[in-house]
Amino acid sequence: MSEKKHSPLTPLLDWLQQLGRFCLGFFERLGRGHLLLFHIVSGIPGLAFKWRLVVFQLYSVGVLSLLIIVVSGLFVGMVLGLQGYNTLVDFGAEESLGTFVALTLVRELGPVVSALLFAGRAGSSLTAEIGLMKATEQLSGMEMMAVNPVKRILAPRFLAGVLSLPLLAAIFSAIGVMGGYFVGVDLLGVDDGAYWSQMQAKVDLHDDIYNGVIKSIVFGIVVTWIAVFEGYDCTPTSEGVSRATTRTVVHASLAVLGLDFVLTALMFGEG
Amino acid sequence: MFHSRTVEIWVGLFVAIGFAALFMLAMQVSNLSTVTGDDGYEVTARFENISGLKVRSAVTMAGVKIGKVSDINFDPQTFEAVVSLRIDSRYNEIPTDTSASIFTAGLLGEKYIGLEAGGEEELLLAGDELELTQSSLILEQLIGQFLFSKAADGDDE
Amino acid sequence: MTYMSNVNDKPLIEIRDLHFKRGEQVIFDGVDIDIPRGKITAIMGPSGTGKTTLLRLIGGQLRPDAGTILVDGQEVAALSTRELYQLRKRMGMLFQSGALLTDINVYENVAFPLREHTELSESMIRSLVLVKLEAVGLRGARHLMPSELSGGMARRVALARAIALDPMMILYDEPFTGQDPISMGVLLELIHTLNNALGLTSIVVSHDVKETITISDHIYLLSNGKVIAHGSPDELEKSPSDWAQQFLQGLADGPVPFHYAANDYAEDLLVTMGKHMKGGAV
Ligand SMILES: Nc1ncnc2c1ncn2[C@@H]1O[C@H](COP(=O)(O)OP(=O)(O)OP(=O)(O)O)[C@@H](O)[C@H]1O
Ligand SMILES: [Mg+2]
């Protein structure tokens, strides 16, 4: 302390110190996050004997997200139908509406929008739940009862999240395609046969559907991982839990959008 | 666990709906039902110009989709494009003198290959080459020719 | 090997030269404690001395900076995760807050360790749970959720859970706070009986000096990171240490500081006043 002289460099040094501390903190969290992921994944095989835990989490993570996914999927599909029709009809290409709606949903909006909704609906509640369990010493208590909370609490939630999101994204896309059909065919008069046949001609099982599913699996892993880690790593106070919950939604959404770009470039880059 | 049965029923329902959606995407939305995977046979065709044709573009006959373009290569000796067509095995009675042309769906639409059957008795087999081909029409060239002929007409007057 | 050590009279827990810091704050600065087998040992000290921390160190949730903690001959900090979990199965810990699982009811909370660690049939589990709940007087409350319990009831449920696996030792963190005189009496009785009937070793952390003294065989007084005094209740009452006397009799003034370490009070106040004056001058 006493060595600190008041030179013009002092603010710079302070700033550098802060930067250093920030970076160290960042790498520390990054490391902890990956170690936790490792421990969670190594706990997944043990869940074979505790499938009830996973079923229960599938309910609170998957089933409870179903409503928001179905409603959003329907509306997104309807909007795509309307906007797509308005654009395509200028080129006399409204027959391609099915292709447009399906490709947009299957490749992009299905995985991405459902991951964003999932982060808000299921991710935040996972973080809050685990954070509160930490704050009320339930996790500590479990450790003292010789039950590993990473295996007992985190692993089933993680697995349920990773399994749920691809299914939710598929539901989102399927409902969206029907929403587009409703607006395009029933309301705007696009030919029924053209809607489906153009779609089937252009949407490829391997390139589009599989890649969409792979995307949503990756998003499922990332979103649930962030949610579970933030809860487990939070400061065990009510303020800490609420901050962690916010961080989950923000970080998970950013991660989804960033990864989407990377994955899209990898999968669809070479047309 | 409380309400264990209700929870299980809901989860079962959720998983079922999820797989139904995946199934619908595979069967109804994608091309799985129209072209049955890879169990077709492949023939090749050479074109002077294929501009706009892509891998996965449709191969049709009388307007019906019977296969897709599986590969496009350039032959440096002849300066031609070598296009591989994978044709669904259902359509295995195509004469050898069938001609292949590159068409455009609508004015600005996608390129596709249209096959027109010839009169030969012999049938196409895997690995055969379609001899009669007609290249893609290039809009710029057409317009260029049109203007050129217009100008020529003008000179005559 | 661990069975052999049961036979001899070595203490169940031996703590030697324990040092532990939380950041800059020194919590233990060379502490030696022996917890004898089959006895009730009380650990007392002012709030914030680190009694809870000590229990967590014994349970292996924290690691000492220096020194050793031997539980039944095994050094806690050197155990692998698997060994540590094996050891914890033989320890029951009653948390200060209860730490009940909030998404399952009282019955399931008590059944939790049984379901996790044994393959008992549902009817066996049921009878065990009911026995434990009866012991803490809450058999009738088994369908309640933890949120529907009072603080004192939650602590008793947590106690029932801590003894569910019939551990060799139980660590009680403040078992009496929030208990009415009757349930306090019941709890004292319970701790005493458990100890004598089952041959358990108990560590009781408590502020309720009078009550705790009646059941404990041995008492440690902690303050400022050191053991200030220890001995049987009789020895302590005759202890010449001012400190021990102040604590045992609950006097406000004496060598024990009531305040958390801070800089001079008057100085602190002056600083605030200075700030106000500056603010006023602007
Ligand atoms: N997670 C933590 N991080 C930093 N410091 C902590 C933490 N937990 C406790 N402390 C500090 O450690 C000291 C001892 O805490 P501890 O909970 O062990 O006290 P205690 O003796 O159990 O007090 P009480 O009788 O009030 O329960 C306290 O001064 C507290 O400031
Ligand atoms: Mg405490």
Side-chain angles (χ1 to χ4, degrees), chain A residues 67 202 234:
Chain A
L67 185 66
K202 286 288 156 49
C234 74

Side-chain angles (χ1 to χ4, degrees), chain B residues 19-116:
Chain B
F19 277 101
L22 273 176
F23 186 73
M24 176 197 154
L25 291 181
M27 299 307 294
Q28 183 76 9
V29 173
S30 86
N31 52 3
L32 182 66
S33 55
T34 47
V35 176
T36 42
D38 286 22
D39 64 336
Y41 61 100
E42 205 159 84
V43 297
T44 56
R46 290 166 174 271
F47 294 93
E48 265 169 38
N49 193 317
I50 58 152
S51 89
L53 193 75
K54 295 195 197 86
V55 171
R56 282 179 52 207
S57 291
V59 175
T60 64
M61 208 160 185
V64 178
K65 185 173 176 187
I66 60 164
K68 63 180 178 180
V69 173
S70 58
D71 199 12
I72 296 176
N73 284 305
F74 177 64
D75 182 347
Q77 256 92 55
T78 59
F79 305 110
E80 282 173 328
V82 183
V83 177
S84 305
L85 317 176
R86 179 163 285 281
I87 295 171
D88 206 15
S89 46
R90 279 178 291 175
Y91 309 109
N92 56 359
E93 301 197 349
I94 300 173
T96 44
D97 62 344
T98 295
S99 67
S101 321
I102 297 179
F103 295 120
T104 310
L107 190 56
L108 299 167
E110 293 268 334
K111 302 277 178 179
Y112 66 95
I113 291 183
L115 300 185
E116 205 156 325

Side-chain angles (χ1 to χ4, degrees), chain A residues 50 53 56 129 133 136-149 152-153 157, chain C residues 56 59 61 85 88-89 91 93 95-97 99-103 112-113 116-117 161 171:
Chain A
K50 301 188 176 159
L53 291 177
F56 200 77
E129 186 191 9
M133 291 184 87
T136 52
E137 290 189 309
Q138 295 182 51
L139 298 184
S140 274
M142 237 177 231
E143 271 179 28
M144 285 305 300
M145 285 188 280
V147 176
N148 187 343
R152 181 65 171 64
I153 300 292
R157 284 165 173 74
Chain C
R56 284 183 189 273
Q61 289 194 314
Y85 275 63
R88 282 179 183 163
K89 282 188 201 169
M91 285 183 188
M93 174 143 169
F95 277 79
Q96 211 165 344
S97 61
L100 295 178
L101 299 173
T102 44
D103 58 344
F112 182 82
E116 288 294 319
H117 295 307
R161 187 179 66 174
L171 317 177

